[in-house]
Amino acid sequence: MFRQFKMLAALAAVSALTACGGGNGNAAKPAGPAPDAKKVDAATAANVSGKVVLEGTPPAPVSIKMASDPTCMDANKGDLKSETFVVDGGGLENVFVYIKDGLGNKYLFDSPTEPVKLDQKGCHYVPHVVGLRTTQPLEIVNSDNTMHNVHGMPQANREFNFGQPVPGLKSNVTFTAPEVLIPFKCDVHSWMNAYIGVVDHPYFAVTANGGKFELRTIPPGTYTIEAVHEKLGRQTQQVTLGEKDSKEITFTFKAPA
Amino acid sequence: MAACTVLLIAAGASVTSTDSGLSVPDWPTTYGWNMFTFPVSKMVGGIRFEHTHRLIASSVGFLTIVLAVWTWRVESRRWVRWLGVACLGAVVLQGVLGGVTVLLFLPPAVSIGHAGLAQIFFCLTLTLALVTSPGWREAVPAVDDATLRRIATATTALIYAQILIGATMRHNAAGLAIPDFPWAFGHAIPPVWNARIAMNFAHRIGALVVTIAILATSAHVLYHDRGRRELVRPAMLLLAFVAVQITLGALVIWSGKDPVINSVHVVNGAAVLGTSLVLTLRSWKRDAEGTELVGVRVPNPRVQPPLRAEARP
């Protein structure tokens, strides 16, 4: 009983330390909105949609060896595949697409408070890539009946590492500085990794359903849109949007040799 | 004790080789448990390596306390008593460094310090084992070979420096910065450079320098001191260990940093250092003031006055 109390106390201390987030006093704080900043007018806003394509033969999915933890073996019946290259109909999934430049500080955006969930389920992260806003909580959950540690390795925000030894345990993390992408890993299960995109506006997406993405309700203007893949790196495109425009763009990454 | 330290170095090397250093995020507890009550059933994945390392380290720490107290109580030589204290200080500092590196997410400087101090601690325990051994207490004539002292000392220092370079490379993830061996990107000198490539190449150059130093030391012993078994044996062993070490280094690269090979490479590196240290210490052992060095009051046969068998008047 006493031991369990000590363990929970330690976990609470760790959670308290980490819950206040990856905020780093040294991190570049995003500039706040200008005094004359305004809300985006939905009536004149534009949309950008498109696809991320993988050119060439994608690497074959690699089966993950989980012999070091029988619980993970049981959860997956030994057939969990690497999620680095998920390709469907030539479209590359798990790519983070967002407006990198062009918004400036001319617009006011709401600050969502509902958490974005990152689950540890079957000894892998679900989803593999996820986006959220600065100061928006990232709720990290352990749905496995085994030990996990959550190790976030940001550059602009503060690094953290805490344990989630109990199934059902939840911890909230926030990030104060925009950063794309932040690698997450579990050092207990070396194959477990996830990538988090943190931005200070609502224009981001993660490619799914054959590499497709959509950024909606963008104010007219000229923007740099960036697509970031965990292994293949970054690509940018410039897009000029008029009122009520709907543009399609395609990013093409080359498959590794 | 020295053998336990080798086991501890092996456990530490396996933590780094399997990238498990942060699999237990807290210290000195383990996921909130007292480390000695952490359930074996929960030692899965990387926790097996990290927690085992902590348990062995704690055991070695306990043994070191016993060793230091025991040495202080029974040893007549003052400097040996203080050697025991130095062992204790080193193991305490080593434990703290191990904890700090976990809590600070393995900063290379702290992790390299942890790796470097591990070898210092090993050298201290080995020295203690050597100078308290029966062989050391034998009143054998001193090694009158100043050249051997110089090159053996230099060789030991070079091996330690090479181990530090290796630790720097390991803790900066530069082990495969140059992916081929014996060439570097197909050339004798890397055609491209960055910090990691420089670390990797420095370790290769270090291996060459250390190998030459060991060859020189061993050749000197075999040529000039071949009658001294206590020197010839470590010299021969040193040659064997360095040959194994180079082979392991090559295999680390060819296997893409296989964790087992990588760990054995670290342990064998300690063996190279330890053997060279033994050779060095034996080369420095004096017999003229043997009473001070060996801890027992054994008169030196070479300075003892001749016995007189004169009849009493």
Side-chain angles (χ1 to χ4, degrees):
Chain A
M1 183 68 188
F2 180 64
R3 189 187 65 193
Q4 285 178 340
F5 172 76
K6 275 174 58 181
M7 188 185 76
L8 288 173
L11 286 173
V14 169
S15 295
L17 280 171
T18 53
C20 56
N24 181 349
N26 297 325
K29 300 252 179 186
D36 60 342
K38 58 188 181 196
K39 289 204 166 190
V40 175
D41 178 9
T44 60
N47 298 326
V48 173
S49 59
K51 186 174 179 179
V52 177
V53 173
L54 185 69
E55 196 175 81
T57 308
V62 179
S63 285
I64 294 168
K65 293 174 186 169
M66 298 185 180
S68 64
D69 191 339
T71 306
C72 301
M73 294 270 283
D74 292 345
N76 293 284
K77 306 300 175 202
D79 63 353
L80 184 66
K81 306 279 190 193
S82 156
E83 294 168 282
T84 303
F85 295 100
V86 179
V87 180
D88 180 8
L92 182 62
E93 300 182 4
N94 288 332
V95 179
F96 189 79
V97 182
Y98 72 110
I99 292 183
K100 184 181 183 187
D101 278 320
L103 287 165
N105 55 359
K106 295 177 287 186
Y107 299 99
L108 286 173
F109 301 112
D110 59 336
S111 302
T113 53
E114 70 277 14
V116 171
K117 188 172 172 182
L118 180 65
D119 199 0
Q120 297 158 103
K121 192 173 183 180
C123 296
H124 73 127
Y125 287 105
V126 181
H128 183 64
V129 179
V130 68
L132 78 162
R133 304 270 297 277
T134 47
T135 73
Q136 184 178 14
L138 177 67
E139 183 184 78
I140 303 164
V141 184
N142 181 7
S143 297
D144 286 329
N145 189 24
T146 189
M147 317 279 288
H148 287 300
N149 75 299
V150 184
H151 183 190
M153 296 168 286
Q155 300 290 319
N157 294 277
R158 193 191 321 159
E159 187 171 359
F160 59 86
N161 183 24
F162 57 89
Q164 287 198 323
V166 181
L169 202 62
K170 296 177 180 176
S171 308
N172 278 0
V173 174
T174 56
F175 302 92
T176 54
E179 186 170 355
V180 179
L181 291 167
I182 300 173
F184 274 47
K185 69 184 283 199
C186 172
D187 299 279
V188 178
H189 307 103
S190 55
W191 62 84
M192 278 179 69
N193 53 23
Y195 294 85
I196 316 297
V198 181
V199 293
D200 56 1
H201 57 71
Y203 307 115
F204 61 89
V206 178
T207 58
N209 303 323
K212 291 177 186 161
F213 67 90
E214 189 170 20
L215 308 176
R216 299 176 66 86
T217 328
I218 307 169
T222 299
Y223 301 101
T224 303
I225 298 180
E226 185 169 65
V228 187
H229 182 265
E230 61 182 88
K231 280 280 183 286
L232 300 175
R234 298 164 185 268
Q235 284 191 15
T236 56
Q237 286 194 30
Q238 280 228 326
V239 177
T240 298
L241 299 171
E243 290 188 3
K244 297 182 181 177
D245 260 357
S246 278
K247 288 206 171 170
E248 285 210 6
I249 57 174
T250 301
F251 291 96
T252 304
F253 286 92
K254 283 193 176 170
Chain B
M1 186 66 217
C4 286
T5 308
V6 172
L7 183 65
L8 179 56
I9 288 172
S14 69
V15 169
T16 311
S17 300
T18 57
D19 201 17
S20 305
L22 292 177
S23 60
V24 180
D26 48 340
W27 181 89
T29 50
T30 298
Y31 285 90
W33 270 273
N34 176 305
M35 80 163 78
F36 301 108
T37 61
F38 184 72
V40 175
S41 62
K42 293 192 176 295
M43 287 175 65
V44 294
I47 300 172
R48 289 176 305 171
F49 299 103
E50 173 63 17
H51 190 64
T52 302
H53 179 47
R54 292 185 186 194
L55 290 176
I56 295 174
S58 301
S59 306
V60 167
F62 175 74
L63 287 174
T64 308
I65 293 170
V66 173
L67 179 73
V69 171
W70 198 336
T71 307
W72 192 266
R73 286 173 63 91
V74 305
E75 177 60 47
S76 61
R77 291 164 292 176
R78 194 161 174 264
W79 69 274
V80 178
R81 291 201 302 271
W82 281 106
L83 191 58
V85 174
C87 285
L88 184 56
V91 84
V92 169
L93 182 60
Q94 181 69 345
V96 171
L97 275 180
V100 167
T101 200
V102 165
L103 296 178
L104 297 181
F105 317 119
L106 311 180
V110 182
S111 295
I112 294 162
H114 187 58
L117 186 56
Q119 302 288 339
I120 295 281
F121 176 69
F122 172 58
C123 288
L124 288 172
T125 56
L126 192 62
T127 304
L128 200 53
L130 182 70
V131 301
T132 54
S133 65
W136 189 268
R137 290 168 183 270
E138 285 171 12
V140 291
V143 176
D144 186 19
D145 191 340
T147 306
L148 175 62
R149 283 181 203 136
R150 279 197 295 273
I151 59 171
T153 305
T155 298
T156 304
L158 284 171
I159 293 167
Y160 184 68
Q162 167 69 349
I163 285 175
L164 284 184
I165 295 170
T168 305
M169 188 181 74
R170 268 168 83 73
H171 292 285
N172 282 287
L176 292 177
I178 301 174
D180 50 344
F181 183 85
W183 300 110
F185 301 101
H187 298 76
I189 306 287
V192 289
W193 288 91
N194 60 33
R196 288 196 169 97
I197 291 171
M199 289 174 207
N200 193 301
F201 196 66
H203 193 55
R204 295 176 183 216
I205 295 296
L208 186 64
V209 172
V210 162
T211 303
I212 291 168
I214 287 174
L215 285 173
T217 306
S218 299
H220 183 93
V221 168
L222 295 175
Y223 191 76
H224 294 284
D225 302 293
R226 77 183 70 158
R228 304 293 298 252
R229 247 173 26 130
E230 79 275 21
L231 299 180
V232 170
R233 278 189 299 189
M236 296 297 286
L237 203 55
L238 201 48
L239 288 173
F241 277 142
V242 81
V244 171
Q245 186 68 349
I246 292 167
T247 307
L248 286 168
L251 287 173
V252 166
I253 293 166
W254 294 336
S255 69
K257 258 185 16 180
D258 177 89
V260 175
I261 296 171
N262 213 356
S263 302
V264 176
H265 185 60
V266 173
V267 174
N268 195 68
V272 174
L273 177 66
T275 309
S276 183
L277 179 69
V278 167
L279 179 58
T280 304
L281 289 172
R282 285 179 176 169
S283 76
W284 280 96
K285 186 186 166 196
R286 294 167 293 169
D287 67 347
E289 67 272 42
T291 53
E292 171 61 22
L293 270 178
V294 301
V296 286
R297 302 279 167 184
V298 178
N300 188 317
R302 295 208 307 198
V303 296
Q304 201 178 0
L307 291 173
R308 293 181 183 175
E310 294 175 3
R312 286 185 183 181

